Amino acid sequence: MSKSITRVKRVGKPFVVLMYAVCIFFAIMSLFPFVVMIINSTRNTYQVQQSALSFIPSTHLLENLKILTSKDIFHPLLGFLNSLIISSGTTLCAVYFSTLTAYAIVAYQWKLRNAFFTMILAVMMIPAQVTSIGFYQMIYRVHMTNNFLPLILPAIASPSMVFFMRQYMIPSLPMEIIESARVDGCREFRIFNQIVIPMVKPAMATQGIFCFVASWNQLFLPQILLTRKNKYTMPIMVSLLKGDIYKTEYGAVYLGLALTVLPLFVVYFVLSKYIIAGVALGGVKG
Amino acid sequence: MKKSLIVLLMLALAVSMVFANAAAETGAGKKTVLNVMSFTDEVPKMIERYFELHPEEAAKYEVNTTIIATTDGLYQPALDEALAQGGAGAPDIYCAEAAFILKYSQGDASQYAATYKSLGIDVDKLIKEADIAQYTIDIGSRNGELVGLGYQATGGAFIYNRSVAKDAFGSDDPAVVAEKIGAGTQSWDKFFEAAAELRKKGYAIVSGDGDIWHAIENSSDKGWIVNGKLYIDPKREAFLDLSKKLKDNDYHNDTQDWQEGWYADMKEAGAKKVLGFYGPAWLINYVMAGNSGDTYGDWGVCASNVGFFWGGTWVLANKDTTKKDIVAKIITWITLDYSETGLQYFWANGTLNGEGGTKDTVASGTVMAKSDGKLDFLNNQNMFEAFVPANKYANGKNLTQYDETINTYWRDQVRQYTAGAKTREQAIADFKTQVKENLDVIVE
Amino acid sequence: MKKNGSFSYARYGYLFSIPFIVAYIIFHLYPILYTLIIGFTDLKGLGKTSFTFLANPLQNFKEILSSELFRTALKNTVVIWITNFIPQIVFALLFTAWFTSPRCKLRGQGFFKVVFYMPNIMTAATIAVLFQALFSYPTSPVNDLLMKLGIISSPFNFQVSKLSAKLVVAFIQFWMWYGYTMIILISGVLGINPEIFEAAEIDGCSSSQTFFRITLPCLKTIILYVLITALIGGLTMYDIPRMYLNGGPDSSTLTLNVFIYNQAFSGSYMYNRAAAASVLVFLLIGICSVFVFRMYRDKDQKKTDRVRRHLAAGKEAVNE
């Protein structure tokens, strides 16, 4: 196989320096807006007006928080809860039912199987925005605007997740175990829930994380369906920060922005390894 | 790790559902819920105060407020949605700003508004006794019946920086400044003469073109839509040229209203010191006072050269409301009560929540006559002297229901023209395209 | 897998697929058809739900196609997308090459990956408003920075100039997605059979030759995936242009989806035109996707054939 000859040509020193320089530049570029956002959250309006750019945090965090919440307009906690409900519901529906559907495609031989899978492939590429006007009208007619269900239930049909789970299951599904479970008299549904699901947990978890983040960040559909302020999700709350009322409260605006992405920061730093691994997995299989 | 994550997720979901449920439940207590929808916290705070002053009512009602700012056009779709859906969640009392009030009093959404008479309010008598400004009645009436009324009178005047005036004109007396800008002439000629004079001394006359726009907008003869078609009133079209003149001669700091640079000019922090701002009383109390920094107390107000009104909030009631009684009481208190315990009196004198609050000009002439408009922001000048006469110029007949949107397009195009990015004809053509393609208006 | 005796489990295949199918029909298929239908009607106005079909069925479509704003939106969407995508794919490939090259062991790769990917996770709406604050005029972090570095002498109004508005939106899109693209490409490279690289080394290929002649061709499917998803994402760009400057100034950042939203919700509630525009955008996506697929199919064959030949030749050399 591989020879352990040190024939590998090493790259010259100056080039290495260049590479590090470029990488560091991009790292700074990626972090810069967030750093500014966090630091400016702790400074008050006057300081920000004097010099908008500063790397030294100040002590006005609580003050800004008070301004932010005093006007009864921006409710980060409410937005957080709403986003949490919708995203969790969406993720659970999507992950569970996609795995179920993928299992149906992989584990059973049935006449329409291939046609079904082809349909899923085709449908994967239709972006949600194209269906939105009809969707909105439909929900409006049944008086279900400002309701979370129309945002959660559609996730039961998630073509791209079905595709991914199928790709994952094909090499990794242990048919012998399933067979023996059948011999033991297990019902199919129980087999799915108690044997198959534990087997594909890693894939479910990774897809779950993505689904959660994507749902959390969704703006278009929630914005047209949820018009009552007490139903606003986080991304919609962000737009309230641009209002005249906060126009001159620069410190508070930065703090508001920071609050809307705080949960994402936490999730990301705790799970970054899994998230990145998941992206990689998605890329290869997808 | 992943398993515990899933468990955590489900726990979070369960917990939040309990919370959400609980939050929804509190509305169904023994108090009747009153739904209020507005785009600032002004009216909600008034209603709060009403219940403080009337504890016997407070015991029976609970207020559910929704405030959505008008930025990015988010308020109207939300209000429209709430009104169209109806039911228990629909607002009982809702507010509309001058920029779009017509839609709710006379236009596409006026079907949802209750006439004040149907609420049991003796409209004719109260209007006469309170001496309500005519333009706010005109705007708030649907086929002659009153459906909405504003609590403010927002006639505009010219608010100027005394130090700048003293240095440039030799005096900071309102009469002198008024004469300099051509008060009463309904034209901009003297204004530009004064601008040139100021420029020589290194001052700007206004902060940005937005400052003269409101005067121009509301002094035009006709509105944006005449007989269902887009109409560009010559006075409004002149704004293109006036704005360009300001820019070419460097008479202003080229700021955009409601942006940082505009606020900065209120505290003399801009490129040049600015003489003044055109605006109604609320501009002083709700915008300039807080942003004036060290210049606080160094301002004055005088008559404007072009009469206009700008802004204002109208209060409407939902015709399907089941709480007619309390809604009628609240609306009367806010818009038609001219006694010393009515909102208007508190509002005019700044005593809504105790002494020393912000003052404002109100719709009731009766109240204005017995109120004190002295402000230390204006070096103790009585602002009513300038603002009350200004109200007679307010024209309530040149508004349309699409004003908010159309004005945005118009200002955008004018800005492009004055920045030199397109020709005058192109700006007008692009403006027409915007209106034609985004709104249901016939454009020729 | 074989049936157990005479008992067929096939019906479970149907059974388990039912939730998906039902949900799909209700929440996806029906709305798609409904959108399509609305495009042929006169449905507009506040609170209306009844509609009549237009005498001239294609009227809405004609109006949209001849609409100046639609064309502007189309142009903007394409221009912004290209401005965003080209640097994105270039830098993503560059970093991929560096991070997977056996010849330069870059330290801290894990750190860089985490940092590069981070912008992708954040809510686009927050990012748009944040950038609006960063680029505001006259005082803003970016203006301050540029002045401190001496690049400009007085603040520049990024939000009034149409060109800079477009560039900033394109930059934000680039900033949000280059990390994601990079990670996908890296994983693709890691999936390439190491024997191919060994063969190349034996033949004395330089690192750039390896990259361009071997890595890239093997990544063709992945790049196709990236291209298609970027295309769909780009043509449906909404969050950033809407929250940054709401399509302004002067419609310079108006993208197709912001245009659709305005038709439906900016005052006249013209659902019929919005629906027609949605259908047109959908057709556009379809056409572009097919086009990209076609392009790839032909190139793909030639390149993989070449690689196979190379590999076969290398193996022969080793075996001798």
Side-chain angles (χ1 to χ4, degrees), chain B residues 80 260 412-413 422 437 440, chain C residues 67 69 139 250 263 268-269:
Chain B
D80 294 343
E260 220 192 299
D412 199 20
Q413 293 306 321
K422 49 174 81 163
E437 301 194 352
D440 204 10
Chain C
S67 145
L69 276 186
T139 51
D250 193 23
Q263 294 292 297
S268 290
Y269 297 106

Side-chain angles (χ1 to χ4, degrees), chain B residues 72 74 76-77 80 84 109 112 256 260-261 402 405 412-413 415-416 422 430 433-434 437-440, chain C residues 44 46 67-70 136-139 160 162 242 246 249-251 262-263 265-270 273:
Chain B
D72 284 345
L74 285 180
Q76 286 190 62
D80 294 343
Y112 302 111
Q256 207 175 315
E260 220 192 299
Y402 295 126
T405 318
D412 199 20
Q413 293 306 321
R415 211 169 297 129
Q416 292 291 322
K422 49 174 81 163
D430 288 346
T433 306
Q434 292 262 27
E437 301 194 352
N438 283 323
L439 297 170
D440 204 10
Chain C
K44 61 182 172 192
L46 176 59
S67 145
E68 233 182 271
L69 276 186
F70 180 75
S136 74
Y137 172 86
T139 51
V160 133
K162 290 159 66 161
R242 169 112 174 90
N246 201 8
D250 193 23
S251 300
N262 283 342
Q263 294 292 297
F265 298 104
S266 71
S268 290
Y269 297 106
M270 296 185 291
R273 285 169 53 117

Side-chain angles (χ1 to χ4, degrees), chain C residues 60-78:
Chain C
N60 290 327
F61 294 93
K62 265 202 242 155
E63 274 178 25
I64 295 282
L65 280 175
S66 60
S67 145
E68 233 182 271
L69 276 186
F70 180 75
R71 295 204 198 137
T72 309
L74 182 60
K75 200 171 55 133
N76 290 341
T77 309
V78 171

Side-chain angles (χ1 to χ4, degrees), chain B residues 82 101 286 304 316 331 345 359 397 402 443:
Chain B
I101 169 64
Y286 293 94
S304 157
L316 303 101
I331 287 192
Y345 188 77
K359 299 184 183 178
K397 301 211 162 68
Y402 295 126
V443 176

Side-chain angles (χ1 to χ4, degrees), chain B residues 107-118:
Chain B
D108 290 343
S110 59
Q111 54 196 269
Y112 302 111
T115 60
Y116 277 21
K117 237 186 230 155
S118 73

Side-chain angles (χ1 to χ4, degrees), chain C residues 291-303:
Chain C
F291 183 67
V292 171
F293 264 119
R294 277 282 161 76
M295 239 178 43
Y296 260 79
R297 191 144 305 166
D298 304 326
K299 271 202 204 164
D300 200 23
Q301 284 301 92
K302 295 194 191 130
K303 287 273 165 87

Side-chain angles (χ1 to χ4, degrees), chain C residues 276-305:
Chain C
S278 300
V279 171
L280 287 172
V281 171
F282 173 51
L283 287 176
L284 184 65
I285 293 178
I287 295 176
C288 289
S289 307
V290 167
F291 183 67
V292 171
F293 264 119
R294 277 282 161 76
M295 239 178 43
Y296 260 79
R297 191 144 305 166
D298 304 326
K299 271 202 204 164
D300 200 23
Q301 284 301 92
K302 295 194 191 130
K303 287 273 165 87
T304 42
D305 289 343

Side-chain angles (χ1 to χ4, degrees), chain A residues 19, chain C residues 90-104 109 182 185-186 189 207 211 215 219:
Chain A
M19 286 199 316
Chain C
V90 163
F91 279 104
L93 283 171
L94 184 70
F95 287 120
T96 304
W98 286 357
F99 289 174
T100 57
S101 165
R103 304 194 189 185
C104 35
Q109 272 184 38
M182 176 191 83
L185 289 174
I186 289 181
V189 171
S207 55
F211 186 72
T215 320
L219 284 181

